[in-house]
């Protein structure tokens, strides 16, 4: 037992000790800017066209989008296309919000999410329509049985083609954005958003054809084919396609979290996830073909439990990411790179948001010259002062958000290093992340310390951090609860743990009558 614990301690990667006189020496080992692996992520910036590859990908997706929209409009007609488009958009915000919430711990760049959605909506949908149509016609010609061809196309051909086309987006991000693909949550999010884009285009086609059928038979309202199709696809099963492809994403996520030395596992797990996705998709499509009540049976007995299980697993993975922060970052706090409160704040989504808000409010108030007046409301600042305050507050909140992102990447990098899933450049990548944290430390560290205390994750010793407290007016300095902390006062310790000369004065000064 003791030998194993000693071996585990020795297997953990070392953390460079922070000494003030060696900060420049340590951070001088960081590679030049053009070789950075980790870069600040700007909120709101979606596409950054800096390379030829990005322009090529964008062009290919745009051409696929034009082709798929032309094909869908040709099959549904203009009115059917517009009706299908309007109805198919409705479940998209729900799906995007669900996967974005799941990805809040270490958010993926928007360019990856937009690529995944566009690939599913345009490239994967185009491949599926062309391949399914070709395969169905070939089977009908070879067997001279169109009905059997449609059944085989729905239960065999469509699941294989569609899941393979959607899995291609996950594979591309896994190969070319490897640093941003580190675990199960990343695989679930990328796969789910890709499938959401695919379901969006497929819903346009199905709803547009249903509207055309209603026009031919003259039905409308609740009893129409369009309403029934919308209820089945957008209300009962909006997560159907994402659920299938999420199995593939989990396979890639497990492969990303595993050791680099286990190459067989890194190949087998994604393939196993893809096979499970195809099998589940085939069962779903076949439920409506072989029996009139098969759809409801598969939906209640199989789909709902599997959806609940996958949802639980995804949320558990998200909680595990937060626990990784509280388990890995204390090593850097002990070395002096972080304050003791930061691992506690960074492992709480509520504390993270509170830290960003606190930094925004503090720096906005300082930049705008906003001060609280004891004699009534302060005069309203000018428009220029308000704009300056807003810009400074936004920049401070952005610095805290980047600090949180780099700290999360640092914890994930250290965890993968202990598992043997990093390359020989671990030390270089670690120093680069520490460099980014050091640049934002002055703004983010006090905000995170305040958030840890405000959320109850770290019990504060009074008074709270000085930067969050409003200084009293000099005239009333003797009428408030006064504390006189000594030079050895530590705001991260409880009052009973403070040195005797740093204990707060328990005397309450009252205003004379």
């Amino acid at each position: 037992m003791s030998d194993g614990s000693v071996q585990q301690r020795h297997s953990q990667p070392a953390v460079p000790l922070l000494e003030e006189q060696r900060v420049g020496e340590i951070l001088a080992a960081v590679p030049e800017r053009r070789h950075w692996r980790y870069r600040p992520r700007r909120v709101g910036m979606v596409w950054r066209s800096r390379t030829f590859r990005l322009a090529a990908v964008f062009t290919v997706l745009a051409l696929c989008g034009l082709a798929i929209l032309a094909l869908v409009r040709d099959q549904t007609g203009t009115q059917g296309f517009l009706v299908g488009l309007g109805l198919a958009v409705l479940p998209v915000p729900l799906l995007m919000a669900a996967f974005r919430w799941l990805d809040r711990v270490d958010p993926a760049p928007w360019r990856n999410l937009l690529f995944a959605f566009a690939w599913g909506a345009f490239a994967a949908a185009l491949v599926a329509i062309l391949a399914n149509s070709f395969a169905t016609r070939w089977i009908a010609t070879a067997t001279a049985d169109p009905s059997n061809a449609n059944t085989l196309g729905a239960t065999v051909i469509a699941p294989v083609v569609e899941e393979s086309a959607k899995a291609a987006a996950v594979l591309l991000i896994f190969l070319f954005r490897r640093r941003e693909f580190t675990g199960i949550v990343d695989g679930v999010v990328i796969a789910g958003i890709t499938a959401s884009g695919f379901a969006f285009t497929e819903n346009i086609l199905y709803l547009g054809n249903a509207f055309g059928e209603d026009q031919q038979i003259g039905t409308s309202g609740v009893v129409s084919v369009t309403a029934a199709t919308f209820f089945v696809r957008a209300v009962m099963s909006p997560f159907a396609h994402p659920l299938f492809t999420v199995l593939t994403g989990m396979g890639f996520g497990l492969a990303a979290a595993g050791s680099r030395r286990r190459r067989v596992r890194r190949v087998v797990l994604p393939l196993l996830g893809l096979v499970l996705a195809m099998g589940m998709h085939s069962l779903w499509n076949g439920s409506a073909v072989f029996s009139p009540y098969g759809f409801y049976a598969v939906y209640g007995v199989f789909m709902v439990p599997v959806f609940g299980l996958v949802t639980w697993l995804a949320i558990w993975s998200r909680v595990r990411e937060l626990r990784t922060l509280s388990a890995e970052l204390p090593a850097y706090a002990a070395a002096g790179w972080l304050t003791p409160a930061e691992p506690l704040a960074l492992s709480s989504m509520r504390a993270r948001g509170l830290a960003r808000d606190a930094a925004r409010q503090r720096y906005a108030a300082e930049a705008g010259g906003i001060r609280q007046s004891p004699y009534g409301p302060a005069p309203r600042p000018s428009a220029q002062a308000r704009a300056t305050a807003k810009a400074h507050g936004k920049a401070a909140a952005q610095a805290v958000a980047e600090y949180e992102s780099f700290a999360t990447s640092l914890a994930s990098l250290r965890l993968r290093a202990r598992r043997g899933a990093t390359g020989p450049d671990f030390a270089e990548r670690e120093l680069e992340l520490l460099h980014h944290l050091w640049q934002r430390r002055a703004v983010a560290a006090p905000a995170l310390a305040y958030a840890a205390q405000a959320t109850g994750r770290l019990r504060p010793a009074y008074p709270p951090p000085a930067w969050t407290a409003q200084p009293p007016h000099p005239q009333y300095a003797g009428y408030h609860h006064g504390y006189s902390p000594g030079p050895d006062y530590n705001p991260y310790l409880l009052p009973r743990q403070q040195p005797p000369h740093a204990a707060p004065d328990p005397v309450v000064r009252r205003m004379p009558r």
Side-chain angles (χ1 to χ4, degrees):
M1 192 75 176
S2 59
D3 295 340
S5 61
V6 171
Q7 183 179 1
Q8 183 178 4
R9 271 200 308 271
H10 286 299
S11 65
Q12 293 187 358
V15 177
L17 291 175
L18 177 62
E19 300 176 2
E20 294 296 335
Q21 63 270 22
R22 295 187 61 237
V23 170
E25 177 185 347
I26 294 174
L27 297 181
V30 177
E32 298 180 3
R33 186 181 183 89
R34 64 176 181 272
H35 298 303
W36 281 0
R37 291 175 177 267
Y38 301 89
R39 299 178 183 275
R41 298 172 185 171
R42 293 186 176 275
V43 176
M45 290 191 66
V46 180
W47 295 100
R48 286 182 281 182
S49 302
R50 297 181 179 180
T51 62
F52 174 77
R53 287 184 301 175
L54 181 58
V57 169
F58 181 80
T59 303
V60 170
L61 291 178
L63 293 176
C64 291
L66 294 175
I68 190 64
L69 292 179
L71 287 175
V72 172
R73 181 182 174 277
D74 181 65
Q75 294 188 25
T76 61
T78 303
Q79 291 184 352
F81 174 78
L82 295 177
V83 171
L85 178 63
L87 295 176
V89 169
L90 297 180
V92 172
L94 171 64
L95 297 172
M96 298 294 286
F99 288 112
R100 195 59 180 169
W101 173 85
L102 186 64
D103 198 33
R104 284 182 61 197
V105 177
D106 188 13
W110 275 104
R111 62 177 180 271
N112 290 358
L113 302 183
L114 288 178
F115 166 78
F117 187 86
W119 181 277
F122 302 145
L126 180 62
V127 170
I129 287 181
L130 295 179
N132 289 340
S133 301
F134 173 79
T136 302
R137 286 197 299 267
W138 181 82
I139 294 174
T141 303
T143 61
D145 187 358
S147 61
N148 187 37
N150 291 331
T151 301
L152 289 176
T155 58
V156 178
I157 304 300
V160 173
V161 172
E162 294 176 6
E163 294 307 320
S164 300
K166 289 182 288 184
V170 188
L171 176 63
L172 290 174
I173 295 179
F174 179 81
L175 294 178
F176 297 103
R177 289 288 184 265
R178 185 64 184 84
R179 179 181 63 82
E180 299 155 1
F181 200 120
T182 59
I184 294 178
V185 174
D186 296 316
V188 168
V189 171
I190 296 300
I193 290 182
T194 303
S196 300
F198 183 88
F200 166 70
T201 302
E202 192 177 63
N203 286 341
I204 297 176
L205 180 62
Y206 278 91
L207 291 169
N209 287 333
F211 179 78
E213 186 176 348
D214 285 331
Q215 284 188 321
Q216 291 180 357
I217 62 179
T219 57
S220 61
V222 181
V223 297
S224 63
V225 180
T226 304
T229 304
F230 178 81
F231 179 77
V232 171
R233 298 189 64 85
V235 177
M236 288 187 64
S237 57
F239 286 93
H241 271 288
L243 181 59
F244 306 148
T245 314
V246 156
L247 298 177
T248 305
M250 285 184 173
F252 278 100
L254 291 173
S259 174
R260 290 176 176 265
R261 295 186 293 270
R262 300 179 179 179
R263 297 185 179 181
V264 176
R265 176 182 176 182
R266 290 167 62 86
V267 175
V268 170
L269 287 177
L271 291 178
L272 178 61
L274 179 60
V275 170
L276 291 176
M278 292 177 180
M280 191 171 181
H281 196 164
S282 178
L283 179 64
W284 174 255
N285 288 355
S287 64
V289 174
F290 297 110
S291 172
Y293 300 101
F295 170 80
Y296 301 101
V298 172
Y299 182 83
V301 176
F302 185 75
M303 290 290 290
V304 173
V306 171
F307 175 75
L309 178 61
V310 171
T311 302
W312 173 84
L313 182 59
I315 295 176
W316 174 81
S317 301
R318 182 180 185 267
V319 173
R320 190 180 180 186
E321 283 188 341
L322 292 174
R323 291 177 179 173
T324 299
L325 292 168
S326 60
E328 301 296 337
L329 292 182
Y332 296 95
W337 290 99
L338 306 177
T339 61
E342 290 178 59
L344 300 175
L346 290 167
S347 59
S348 167
M349 298 307 299
R350 182 188 170 203
R352 285 184 172 203
L354 184 59
R356 294 192 296 269
D357 293 339
R360 180 186 296 108
Q361 294 172 6
R362 180 219 171 177
Y363 283 89
E366 287 187 355
I370 302 173
R371 294 291 183 269
Q372 185 68 29
S373 174
Y375 302 105
R380 183 178 177 82
S382 63
Q384 183 178 1
R386 292 198 303 271
T388 303
K390 183 178 179 180
H392 279 260
K394 183 178 180 181
Q398 179 66 34
V400 176
E402 291 174 355
Y403 190 92
E404 294 169 351
S405 175
F406 289 130
T408 304
S409 298
L410 182 62
S412 176
L413 178 67
R414 182 175 174 83
L415 176 63
R416 286 185 285 119
R418 289 199 297 106
R419 292 176 174 176
T422 56
D425 59 344
F426 165 76
E428 179 182 341
R429 296 169 64 183
E430 181 187 42
L431 286 178
E432 181 183 333
L433 286 169
L434 291 174
H435 168 72
H436 287 305
L437 293 177
W438 185 262
Q439 287 183 323
R440 297 157 179 81
R441 183 181 184 181
V443 177
L448 289 168
Y450 163 73
Q453 294 184 1
T455 55
R457 299 182 68 81
L458 179 70
R459 255 188 194 173
Y462 297 100
W467 73 277
T468 61
Q470 292 291 337
H473 193 273
Q475 182 177 353
Y476 301 98
Y479 303 147
H480 69 287
H481 294 253
Y483 299 105
S484 304
D488 296 332
Y489 174 78
N490 187 345
Y492 302 108
L493 297 178
L494 298 176
R496 63 176 180 272
Q497 298 172 327
Q498 298 292 343
H501 64 276
D505 182 7
V507 178
V508 178
R509 298 172 183 166
R510 301 182 182 274
M511 186 166 63
R513 297 181 181 179

